[in-house]
Amino acid sequence: TRRQHAPKGLRSPPGPRGLPMLGSVLELRKDPHLVLTRLSRKYGDVMEVTIGSRPVVVLSGLETIKQALVRQAEDFMGRPDLYSFRHVTDGQSLTFSTDTGEMWKARRKLAQNALKTFSIAASYLVTKFLQLMEEKQSFDPYRYMVVSVANVICAICFGKRYDHDDQELLSVVNVVDEFVDVTAAGNPADFIPLLRYLPSRNMDSFLDFNKRFMKLLQTAVEEHYQTFDKNNIRDVTDSLIEQCVEKKAEANGATQIPNEKIINLVNDIFGAGFDTVTTALSWSLMYLVTYPHMQKKIQAELDQTIGRERRPRLSDRGMLPYTEAFILEMFRHSSFMPFTIPHSTTRDTVLNGYYIPKDRCVFINQWQVNHDEKLWKDPQAFNPERFLNAEGTEVNKVDAEKVMTFGLGKRRCIGENIGKWEVFLFLSTLLQQLEFSIQDGKKADMTPIYGLSMKHKRCEHFQVKKRFSMKSSN
Ligand code: HEM
């Protein structure tokens, strides 16, 4: 993976040279999205940096990223062979493995189909938060949200809920911090082989997390196999088992996926489905208590459109432009997935006139797009109204599509719709009934902690107040 020379007539992407060994990693370790955004101003949308012993191409600018991920989609759809990625789902993950051929295509389609069949619901949290307020002065909502969100994806995948103090589930969802730390773009052990042989607490917990995670899911899958009935497909796991059964019946279909590779798709779906949505909700609450007038505005919109007699439903979403604009602005401003999962070129290619060889690791800087002064007026300001028309009655589609949160092209997130629906339903359900605030004299610390998904520091000082009493649920 050393730097190669470009063929005659073609230039390699520009970038900072020097300090090839450790330099870039040490510099990148602290907020790489900011460092790389700064460097992109100097070197442009296609630049090359060296991280440890590995050259990495970094893409910025919405048009350049669209060119690579959409118009030259085949070239840029790969995943790099990174040390940390080999440990996710025994190296067989749809999301993290280097596979991009027919097998990957067939598995991705299968996962997409399995997801289509199931929709969602949630409102346990309102009761939980009120109960917490009765017991204590304040609380950390993240701890409770992560279990509720995990339970939504559990219902989709396994048709079952876990108890809020189920130790097996808690031991997985509560240690996700190490996962997002190790799989983040620029993890040193992925770029400096030597580091793999040194003891690392993060790496140990990461390996431990992957083991526990596999075990939790294996137990559920075994239960499903034992009770499987092809006339009663209960959830994603059943639907995946059905694919295994049907595949046998058909024999030599276009692509033969081994059974394990079908069943362990549930890992990808489950894993991608709880951390991202929890993080989105958690940032939303931080913004809501920081900007109370925005919370009031959402609540006014909910009161006006839905009223207080019934709970919000998915079908209300189109009628709540301010709420939608707030969610978009949360995605844009936090850019809590600063990079997509790293990509890799599948063949030699040329982008914006620069030569990029096969198997080059590629970072896609979503944070840069979401804070690009060429695309956004005053990008540092948190302002949901930037997405609304003058009357505040409609979300501007063109602006909404400039927000980069789910990637683009062939590797685009397959859970985008489910993810957005979940964020909408959780937030509108919570805000219809509860008013969130932060304890007097405390402030929400919004400094992001770098990772595959960036978190804020946990905040113990949240408070809720009931807005009104609801007669019954629907
Ligand atoms: C991939 C974001 C929710 C399943 C991705 C990627 C991003 C992303 C940035 C990487 C794209 C790339 O590498 O180019 C998000 C965000 C979510 C969310 C921000 C919520 C707010 C979900 C949910 C599911 C899901 C709910 C499943 C139910 C996946 C899978 C991939 C993926 C399987 C890997 C696709 C592949 O490698 O081919 N997501 N996601 N995501 N996401 Fe999501």
Side-chain angles (χ1 to χ4, degrees):
T1 54
R2 296 239 57 123
R3 234 179 246 284
Q4 286 158 256
H5 286 287
K8 267 219 154 52
L10 287 171
R11 293 163 299 165
S12 287
R17 306 286 143 123
L19 294 178
M21 243 329 260
L22 276 163
S24 303
V25 168
L26 296 183
E27 192 186 6
L28 280 178
R29 206 47 198 159
K30 185 141 177 23
D31 293 336
H33 55 295
L34 303 183
V35 175
L36 292 176
T37 297
R38 185 150 37 77
L39 287 172
S40 79
R41 286 199 195 110
K42 182 160 172 202
Y43 295 104
D45 283 356
V46 184
M47 70 176 171
E48 190 167 283
V49 298
T50 306
I51 308 186
S53 51
R54 195 163 186 146
V56 174
V57 167
V58 182
L59 302 186
S60 314
L62 188 56
E63 281 315 308
T64 300
I65 291 173
K66 273 192 187 154
Q67 178 65 35
L69 297 190
V70 181
R71 291 189 277 277
Q72 291 175 227
E74 294 277 342
D75 300 355
F76 286 93
M77 70 185 286
R79 292 274 187 235
D81 180 12
L82 297 183
Y83 174 68
S84 60
F85 290 8
R86 285 181 221 151
H87 297 285
V88 183
T89 314
D90 284 339
Q92 298 194 10
S93 166
L94 168 81
T95 313
F96 292 97
S97 80
T98 55
D99 191 12
T100 56
E102 288 305 313
M103 174 78 78
W104 170 81
K105 237 176 244 165
R107 288 178 80 208
R108 181 166 159 118
K109 181 153 252 157
L110 223 154
Q112 279 170 319
N113 283 341
L115 279 178
K116 251 188 224 152
T117 338
F118 301 93
S119 65
I120 34 173
S123 94
Y124 167 92
L125 273 179
V126 173
T127 325
K128 184 77 205 174
F129 285 172
L130 286 170
Q131 186 193 332
L132 283 162
M133 274 312 281
E134 255 171 47
E135 290 162 12
K136 314 181 199 181
Q137 293 299 306
S138 72
F139 61 94
D140 166 15
Y142 185 93
R143 290 182 43 200
Y144 307 94
M145 276 189 312
V146 68
V147 184
S148 283
V149 173
N151 264 328
V152 173
I153 198 75
C154 262
I156 297 173
C157 291
F158 306 126
K160 85 178 219 184
R161 297 183 67 86
Y162 285 85
D163 209 57
H164 265 243
D165 43 41
D166 184 286
Q167 288 310 313
E168 232 188 329
L169 182 69
L170 286 177
S171 78
V172 169
V173 298
N174 278 329
V175 295
V176 66
D177 293 9
E178 275 88 13
F179 187 88
V180 300
D181 179 60
V182 171
T183 55
N187 170 41
D190 288 332
F191 295 90
I192 308 176
L194 188 69
L195 292 180
R196 289 166 212 170
Y197 305 102
L198 302 179
S200 151
R201 226 174 50 105
N202 283 5
M203 195 63 197
D204 288 346
S205 354
F206 171 73
L207 297 179
D208 189 54
F209 170 87
N210 284 308
K211 275 203 205 101
R212 278 181 214 235
F213 191 50
M214 286 286 271
K215 197 168 148 268
L216 183 81
L217 302 187
Q218 258 158 13
T219 313
V221 168
E222 271 160 33
E223 283 168 14
H224 276 70
Y225 259 113
Q226 275 156 20
T227 54
F228 179 75
D229 169 7
K230 72 175 183 355
N231 297 314
N232 177 21
I233 301 302
R234 299 161 292 184
D235 46 41
V236 168
T237 309
D238 271 358
S239 152
L240 292 171
I241 293 174
E242 188 186 25
Q243 305 287 335
C244 299
V245 178
E246 271 179 10
K247 178 197 75 181
K248 271 210 196 89
E250 267 173 42
N252 82 66
T255 306
Q256 281 290 349
I257 318 175
N259 281 358
E260 323 81 78
K261 283 209 178 203
I262 295 181
I263 291 302
N264 64 22
L265 285 172
V266 78
N267 282 30
D268 284 285
I269 294 172
F270 189 98
F274 83 88
D275 173 61
T276 48
V277 175
T278 309
T279 307
L281 285 170
S282 188
W283 279 108
S284 301
L285 291 191
M286 295 291 273
Y287 285 113
L288 286 168
V289 296
T290 306
Y291 303 106
H293 64 284
M294 296 182 190
Q295 180 173 185
K296 291 241 153 57
K297 238 174 144 159
I298 296 178
Q299 283 162 335
E301 185 176 74
L302 292 168
D303 286 351
Q304 204 181 23
T305 313
I306 298 174
R308 298 182 164 190
E309 295 297 311
R310 65 168 180 88
R311 298 251 165 90
R313 295 192 279 259
L314 293 181
S315 56
D316 296 321
R317 189 170 150 209
M319 283 149 11
L320 298 161
Y322 188 82
T323 308
E324 190 72 13
F326 174 86
I327 294 173
L328 281 166
E329 183 66 343
M330 176 277 297
F331 278 130
R332 185 198 70 82
H333 190 267
S334 73
S335 294
F336 67 80
M337 289 197 70
F339 297 94
T340 68
I341 297 164
H343 283 235
S344 160
T345 45
T346 57
R347 49 168 98 114
D348 294 350
T349 187
V350 175
L351 181 66
N352 290 8
Y354 296 111
Y355 169 74
I356 304 172
K358 181 175 188 290
D359 292 329
R360 180 64 88 233
C361 182
V362 180
F363 290 174
I364 311 288
N365 196 343
Q366 302 202 110
W367 194 95
Q368 188 278 336
V369 172
N370 293 336
H371 292 83
D372 192 341
E373 273 139 24
K374 295 195 204 96
L375 293 181
W376 310 102
K377 205 177 135 223
D378 198 4
Q380 303 309 331
F382 186 84
N383 175 21
E385 258 125 18
R386 67 170 78 244
F387 290 103
L388 296 173
N389 60 358
E391 301 77 45
T393 50
E394 232 168 285
V395 170
N396 180 334
K397 286 234 167 57
V398 177
D399 286 334
E401 294 209 339
K402 293 192 303 199
V403 181
M404 228 186 132
T405 311
F406 297 90
L408 285 173
K410 290 197 182 284
R411 281 283 182 173
R412 190 187 185 114
C413 175
I414 64 170
E416 175 168 353
N417 285 330
I418 292 187
K420 284 184 171 161
W421 285 118
E422 267 191 78
V423 172
F424 165 76
L425 203 59
F426 268 103
L427 265 192
S428 55
T429 305
L430 289 173
L431 288 177
Q432 185 196 30
Q433 297 184 66
L434 300 177
E435 188 179 307
F436 288 84
S437 59
I438 204 141
Q439 238 172 345
D440 270 347
K442 305 282 188 212
K443 225 178 139 236
D445 180 354
M446 310 269 271
T447 318
I449 302 163
Y450 182 71
L452 176 65
S453 62
M454 301 199 287
K455 317 276 191 259
H456 51 79
K457 273 211 202 84
R458 296 285 183 89
C459 176
E460 298 275 349
H461 309 299
F462 273 86
Q463 298 182 314
V464 294
K465 222 167 56 199
K466 212 169 170 158
R467 296 187 61 227
F468 55 87
S469 51
M470 199 127 170
K471 278 181 232 110
S472 62
S473 57
N474 62 348

